[in-house]
Amino acid sequence: MIELDDGVRVIAGASGLEIGLFFEKREDGYRYEQEGGAGPFEAMETTITYGPENEGVRVRMRSAVTLDLFPRRLTDRVAAWKREAELERALDALETELG
């Protein structure tokens, strides 16, 4: 993890695959993106927002991904579907942890 003036850079990896991510804090959450072409995606950006709702907090995660592989419509759809599943698992884990 490298702290910068405008955010934090993280290099993550497993099974021989590395990805560089840049995180920035926002007023209502966080935004992060894959840095450059070093990673599984041509481009990936995710926003995590949170705010009060009723007597709790609503957390939302949105992500956009592209692989830039042929056939692009199909491969990008598969990447988005897998990314959606990853975000759902992250939200489920957060709900479990915080109860």
Side-chain angles (χ1 to χ4, degrees):
M1 181 171 80
I2 302 168
E3 292 194 36
L4 307 169
D5 291 338
D6 56 346
V8 174
R9 178 172 293 126
V10 174
I11 305 296
S15 302
L17 179 65
E18 272 192 359
I19 183 171
L21 300 169
F22 177 74
F23 289 79
E24 65 180 334
K25 175 88 172 99
R26 294 187 162 188
E27 186 176 308
D28 63 344
Y30 296 88
R31 175 188 166 278
Y32 65 95
E33 66 183 350
Q34 175 181 296
E35 287 194 313
F41 306 108
E42 176 189 33
M44 186 272 296
E45 178 180 329
T46 301
T47 57
I48 304 166
T49 57
Y50 54 87
E53 185 172 292
N54 299 326
E55 295 182 25
V57 174
R58 164 84 58 181
V59 177
R60 289 185 175 92
M61 299 177 89
R62 293 179 185 251
S63 193
V65 297
T66 183
L67 293 174
D68 195 28
L69 297 173
F70 182 80
R72 189 172 189 138
R73 284 184 74 170
L74 176 63
T75 58
D76 284 354
R77 271 191 134 167
V78 170
W81 172 69
K82 290 182 70 73
R83 184 72 180 134
E84 180 181 13
E86 292 170 354
L87 296 180
E88 286 177 10
R89 284 192 301 276
L91 288 169
D92 288 346
L94 182 62
E95 182 179 26
T96 298
E97 185 70 27
L98 299 177

